[in-house]
Amino acid sequence: QVQLVESGGGLVQAGGSLRLSCAASGRSFSNYSMAWFRQAPGKEREFVAAISWSGGKTYYADSVKGRFAISRDNANNTVYLQMNSLKPEDTAVYYCAADRQGGLVWHRATDYDYWGQGTQVTVSS
């Protein structure tokens, strides 16, 4: 089974930056599409960003375009989310997700097979 562990969350001021990491176990990491989702208190889980297994394609929610960047390092079994120009609206628990089989819809949470435990990001105003 694949295990995902997020790290890098914390408290930052509006306008600041934060870099999240997701470390994956398993030897097939390079074959997985990866994504970040987030969930604020009392709200639905929402798509943030995704990256293809090769790293050649990336996708972003409109709310984070131009501010966030997803990347992956297959040699280290890690996916990153660089978050710049953070806003209080970005406050949420951020989850890393992985898809094994492919043929997914990038922004659809139910298409992903594995999930991390989440890391809290809090942006103060």
Side-chain angles (χ1 to χ4, degrees):
Q1 293 292 328
V2 173
Q3 293 184 334
L4 305 175
V5 180
E6 303 97 333
S7 62
L11 174 64
V12 298
Q13 292 186 333
S17 297
L18 207 59
R19 187 178 183 87
L20 305 183
S21 298
C22 174
S25 66
R27 293 173 291 180
S28 298
F29 173 80
S30 62
N31 295 325
Y32 297 163
S33 296
M34 303 293 295
W36 289 94
F37 290 78
R38 67 187 182 186
Q39 188 166 22
K43 298 187 181 298
E44 297 291 325
R45 187 186 306 170
E46 66 174 342
F47 172 76
V48 177
I51 187 167
S52 64
W53 65 268
S54 66
K57 296 182 178 181
T58 57
Y59 306 87
Y60 297 94
D62 289 341
S63 60
V64 305
K65 286 181 180 178
R67 299 191 298 121
F68 291 10
I70 188 171
S71 62
R72 66 190 299 161
D73 183 349
N74 289 343
N76 291 320
N77 293 344
T78 304
V79 63
Y80 303 96
L81 184 68
Q82 177 66 46
M83 304 185 294
N84 299 321
S85 301
L86 283 163
K87 305 174 181 179
E89 306 93 273
D90 296 318
T91 295
V93 176
Y94 283 70
Y95 297 93
C96 178
D99 173 76
R100 170 67 169 170
Q101 299 301 320
L104 80 168
V105 177
W106 296 108
H107 60 272
R108 191 162 63 197
T110 54
D111 279 6
Y112 291 86
D113 302 306
Y114 306 102
W115 294 83
Q117 84 289 347
T119 185
Q120 177 70 50
V121 172
T122 303
V123 184
S124 64
S125 59

